[in-house]
Amino acid sequence: MNSLYKLRTAREFLKKSGIENTIREAEMIISRLLGIDRVTLYRDNPQIPEKCISKIDELLRRRAKREPLQYILGYTEFCGLKIKVGKGVLIPRPETELLVEKAIKIFRIQRINLPLPPHPPLGKGGQRGGSNSSLILHPSSFNLLDLCTGCGCIALALAREFPDAQVYGTDISEIAIRYAKENAKLNKIKNVAFIKGSLFKPVKKSLNTFDLIVSNPPYIKRNDIKNLQIEIKDWEPVKALDGGEDGLDYYRAIIPEAKNYLKECGCLMFELGVSQANGVRKMAEDAGFVNISLIKDYAGINRILIAKSSML
């Protein structure tokens, strides 16, 4: 069977199953199994070995059950990185790439304006990239922290951009931390450490240490989860989605604590859910943050909040 014939039948099968982007998804599944790119698929129209046909059909059946394509393929692209994902870890979204883009710009400014620390990094216990509940900071002029790191995509994108900085990611999910570590190895990024634990708990002994704290926390209202796409509500981890009754639980937990872990004039950055900007901004103001600003995404939604810790 040639590839283009199989592509046509795959598209028809996915369409009957209610999948929207049938052409793209059929292309990706077939290309993945054949180990070729989209151009080669159309240009050469290669023959598909019999053993590959049954494997393609298996993946198509999984997609027909509305399993996310990223889980089926085993990876997704994020800011030019290849990120492994699977059941138990949240799939990175395009909105989060915008958060990384803005964080890179902010941190470049921070590096220019902030003085070098007069003392070696603080903290005891733990190992680089380990799963201990405590963290040791490694020698670096600049330190970044990613809370609710998930598969590690934000931390890894920042670590790749700033190889002389030390980046840390924490997450309460053991599965997420495992994926994050695998993604660090996959992308050959070494200036990053992932530690299992809730929010700041793994860094309790490292106060006033970070130049930038960034987070894409769970922010979906609990009662809204049931209305999400099947691919999300039935497959992605609920704990990575559930932000409490109003979606703001994690912001309430992070914002008051964040000032204790930021250097003077350090920055706190969040991804926000729809209609959450005013509430989160008020929390930041009440906690004493200054120079608070909001950035809209490409749909015109206030998607990112940036706040600075005041001078001591």
Side-chain angles (χ1 to χ4, degrees):
M1 182 184 297
N2 65 53
S3 297
L4 294 184
Y5 176 80
K6 185 60 180 175
L7 180 61
R8 287 194 296 272
T9 61
R11 286 167 51 191
E12 292 170 2
F13 177 77
L14 292 176
K15 186 175 182 180
K16 290 178 181 178
S17 302
I19 305 300
E20 294 183 359
N21 298 318
T22 57
I23 297 177
R24 173 181 169 273
E25 297 202 9
E27 288 172 351
M28 293 182 71
I29 288 172
I30 294 172
S31 297
R32 166 75 165 161
L33 262 296
L34 294 179
I36 59 176
D37 58 27
R38 179 177 178 275
V39 173
T40 304
L41 176 70
Y42 283 98
R43 183 190 64 204
D44 298 346
N45 189 20
Q47 290 293 311
I48 304 177
E50 193 64 33
K51 63 180 181 180
C52 282
I53 293 176
S54 60
K55 290 181 180 179
I56 290 171
D57 288 341
E58 178 187 349
L59 299 191
L60 289 170
R61 286 192 293 270
R62 287 172 63 184
R63 186 66 186 105
K65 294 178 181 178
R66 306 299 289 273
E67 181 177 353
L69 180 64
Q70 295 90 337
Y71 285 178
I72 294 170
L73 299 178
Y75 69 90
T76 188
E77 298 291 327
F78 182 85
C79 292
L81 297 170
K82 185 174 182 178
I83 300 293
K84 291 180 66 175
V85 292
K87 195 167 184 181
V89 67
L90 196 70
I91 299 167
R93 265 63 173 185
E95 295 89 345
T96 308
E97 291 191 337
L98 179 62
L99 176 65
V100 169
E101 175 188 326
K102 300 303 179 182
I104 288 171
K105 291 181 179 179
I106 290 293
F107 192 56
R108 283 177 179 159
I109 296 172
Q110 293 291 93
R111 286 163 60 103
I112 294 171
N113 293 336
L114 288 178
L116 296 179
H119 50 72
L122 305 174
K124 292 184 179 180
Q127 298 295 324
R128 173 179 281 188
S131 59
N132 299 23
S133 60
S134 58
L135 169 67
I136 183 169
L137 292 178
H138 298 274
S140 172
S141 298
F142 303 96
N143 294 301
L144 290 73
L145 176 63
D146 175 24
L147 300 172
C148 307
T149 193
C151 63
C153 59
I154 295 174
L156 290 167
L158 294 174
R160 181 193 58 180
E161 185 70 23
F162 303 105
D164 58 334
Q166 183 60 44
V167 182
Y168 302 88
T170 68
D171 201 289
I172 198 168
S173 166
E174 187 172 342
I175 295 174
I177 291 296
R178 187 182 75 237
Y179 271 104
K181 292 178 184 177
E182 290 177 1
N183 284 322
K185 291 179 181 178
L186 176 64
N187 291 281
K188 299 180 180 179
I189 297 173
K190 297 182 179 180
N191 59 319
V192 64
F194 295 107
I195 309 94
K196 181 179 180 296
S198 178
L199 301 179
F200 294 102
K201 286 185 179 179
V203 295
K204 279 294 184 183
K205 296 180 180 179
S206 304
L207 304 181
N208 305 117
T209 301
F210 297 100
D211 300 283
L212 173 67
I213 297 174
V214 63
S215 183
N216 175 23
Y219 57 64
I220 305 298
K221 294 180 181 178
R222 186 166 296 151
N223 289 334
D224 288 349
I225 293 176
K226 63 180 181 294
N227 300 320
L228 298 174
Q229 290 178 309
I230 295 174
E231 286 86 346
I232 300 174
K233 68 179 182 179
D234 289 353
W235 289 93
E236 298 196 62
V238 173
K239 285 185 178 180
L241 300 168
D242 188 351
E245 293 301 321
D246 61 358
L248 301 177
D249 281 2
Y250 279 83
Y251 303 106
R252 291 191 186 93
I254 292 171
I255 290 173
E257 282 285 290
K259 287 190 68 177
N260 296 325
Y261 295 90
L262 284 168
K263 295 179 183 177
E264 294 181 22
C265 295
C267 275
L268 174 66
M269 296 186 66
F270 285 116
E271 180 173 322
L272 307 172
V274 176
S275 302
Q276 293 180 336
N278 290 337
V280 178
R281 181 171 193 152
K282 180 65 164 53
M283 292 181 205
E285 290 173 348
D286 291 345
F289 282 91
V290 297
N291 297 340
I292 301 169
S293 60
L294 297 167
I295 297 175
K296 297 182 184 295
D297 64 13
Y298 302 115
I301 296 169
N302 281 320
R303 185 65 66 179
I304 296 168
L305 180 139
I306 303 171
K308 294 190 74 173
S309 62
S310 57
M311 295 289 289
L312 296 179

